[in-house]
Amino acid sequence: MTDLSPITALGAQTLWAETAGALLMSENSNLGLASLALPKGSLHPSPFDLTLPDVGAAVSNSTYGAFWTGPNQWMIEGYEHGETDFAADVKAQASEAYVTEQTDGWCAFDVRSSDDGAALDALLQRLVNLDPSALLPGCVARTGLHHMSVFVIRRTTDHVTLIGMRSFAHSLRHAVQKAADRLTT
């Protein structure tokens, strides 16, 4: 049998991380993702004790999160669940919902700012067509970033997660890194 080694979305065996000025950018390969859609007329479940958020919102606790993706549709996040059957865990929490594993179809990059979010806001102004003041903590938006579709989740004033298609992982990392580098020069 072939000896297989796990790799990250960027094709490496170690996670990418880089600092540019006040920004720390890092690849997050241990984020489990599962989409959850509700059949017409069903009640909203509370997977992992999360209240499914409304339009443009994200919620989280210390282990799980959820963000709105469309009418009666959410993406459920499992922090540190990237190597588990996360969809099965979600389905056990929301048995009437349609649940689909999404972990391997997406990549996630966390960007943190050491200056209370000023550098993060400046980075967002260069990357996405959103006013950073409208993307407050607990908000999520699906938008374009260098011709790629991404989810931008504002976790706190100094932390954003960018989730994009795994096939564009290198392009997404490059866009984030170059924009951050330009802020420091």
Side-chain angles (χ1 to χ4, degrees):
M1 175 177 252
T2 304
D3 183 24
L4 301 175
S5 299
I7 58 172
T8 70
L10 294 173
Q13 291 186 349
T14 59
L15 295 173
W16 169 78
E18 188 169 316
T19 301
L23 297 171
L24 171 61
M25 304 157 290
S26 61
E27 181 181 12
N28 181 351
S29 71
N30 211 8
L31 180 66
L33 295 170
S35 61
L36 183 148
L38 296 179
K40 187 174 183 177
S42 65
L43 298 175
H44 284 210
S46 297
F48 311 109
D49 294 323
L50 297 169
T51 300
L52 295 175
D54 209 357
V55 177
V59 297
S60 64
N61 57 37
S62 62
T63 311
Y64 301 98
F67 58 91
W68 184 88
T69 59
N72 290 322
Q73 298 176 26
W74 297 266
M75 189 76 77
I76 309 299
E77 303 173 288
Y79 312 129
E80 306 300 322
H81 287 82
E83 295 183 13
T84 67
D85 185 0
F86 187 59
D89 296 341
V90 174
K91 185 66 174 174
Q93 295 281 315
S95 60
E96 293 184 19
Y98 304 120
V99 177
T100 306
E101 180 64 48
Q102 298 289 329
T103 303
D104 287 339
W106 301 87
C107 64
F109 294 95
D110 289 310
V111 183
R112 290 179 170 82
S113 172
S114 63
D115 64 357
D116 295 327
L120 192 55
D121 286 346
L123 179 71
L124 288 174
Q125 288 175 341
R126 285 161 178 77
L127 286 176
V128 295
N129 57 346
L130 298 170
D131 180 357
S133 65
L135 192 63
L136 300 173
C139 291
V140 64
R142 188 165 194 175
T143 188
L145 187 156
H146 287 245
H147 304 286
M148 296 173 280
S149 179
V150 297
F151 289 104
V152 180
I153 306 167
R154 188 74 178 251
R155 306 226 187 253
T156 62
T157 56
D158 60 354
H159 180 196
V160 165
T161 299
L162 302 167
I163 298 177
M165 291 181 282
R166 188 179 180 97
S167 58
F168 292 131
H170 286 283
S171 298
L172 182 54
R173 183 214 39 91
H174 178 80
V176 171
Q177 180 182 8
K178 289 302 175 190
D181 289 345
R182 287 185 184 118
L183 286 174
T184 60
T185 57

